[in-house]
Amino acid sequence: SYSGSGLLVNEGTLEKTGGTGTSTNNPTFNNTGTVYVQSGTLNLGNSVTVNNGSQFLGAGTSVLSGGSPTLNGLITSSNLVLAGATLTGTSGVIAGVLTWTRGSIGAGSTLTIATNGTLVLAGVNGTDYPIYGILTNAGTIDLVSGNLQLDAWSTPGKLINLPAAGVTLESN
């Protein structure tokens, strides 16, 4: 586990290979490399920038749980979870899987689900998923539970579902 108020810049590979619990990154985290979580959970912290070419892979879970992480460019993921943070950035593109359990897409932000991407909304039933920015879907959005909100208070969000893209509502 990294701690302190410094800066962790990952341009290579950051791995969590052991333990079933949670390791937490406390310094600012700037990633252009690969985060590989083999087991357990890696909480990336409150101050995160994920840049073009970043990868989140492995059988474990990489979590964005607080603050306002910025997504810039193409991000490939098999295990990234939005769990309480407010996504920011104007060029984030998800290839692979992003699971959304809590949090929001911030005002003025854009997020695109690529043709080979899936956004799974799977929080506790009754969870709200507010979109204050723009979510463009070229792949698949799967609402497993909760409430997708496009008219969120004073800043209504937009969901743009492109041709050949799909939105599946698995719950009420």
Side-chain angles (χ1 to χ4, degrees):
S1 157
Y2 298 93
S3 64
S5 60
L7 172 64
L8 171 60
V9 177
N10 180 41
E11 296 174 350
T13 301
L14 173 64
E15 294 183 88
K16 180 180 185 309
T17 60
T20 58
T22 300
S23 295
T24 300
N25 172 67
N26 288 326
T28 298
F29 181 61
N30 190 324
N31 190 65
T32 55
T34 299
V35 176
Y36 184 81
V37 181
Q38 183 174 346
S39 65
T41 301
L42 177 61
N43 184 338
L44 297 170
N46 290 328
S47 183
V48 177
T49 300
V50 180
N51 294 304
N52 190 48
S54 293
Q55 297 183 65
F56 294 89
L57 307 172
T61 305
S62 299
V63 177
L64 301 169
S65 65
S68 299
T70 301
L71 304 183
N72 295 317
L74 181 64
I75 294 121
T76 303
S77 168
S78 65
N79 68 1
L80 188 60
V81 176
L82 175 61
T86 299
L87 288 183
T88 63
T90 59
S91 61
V93 178
I94 299 294
V97 178
L98 172 64
T99 302
W100 187 358
T101 62
R102 289 183 303 123
S104 64
I105 296 175
S109 299
T110 61
L111 178 65
T112 300
I113 307 304
T115 56
N116 61 341
T118 301
L119 175 63
V120 179
L121 291 79
V124 174
N125 199 22
T127 299
D128 292 331
Y129 309 105
I131 299 173
Y132 302 100
I134 299 171
L135 174 60
T136 301
N137 182 35
T140 302
I141 297 175
D142 189 6
L143 179 61
V144 175
S145 62
N147 308 300
L148 181 61
Q149 295 180 331
L150 300 176
D151 189 8
W153 299 98
S154 63
T155 309
K158 293 181 185 176
L159 171 59
I160 301 168
N161 196 43
L162 297 175
V167 176
T168 303
L169 307 176
E170 290 188 30
S171 70
N172 296 326

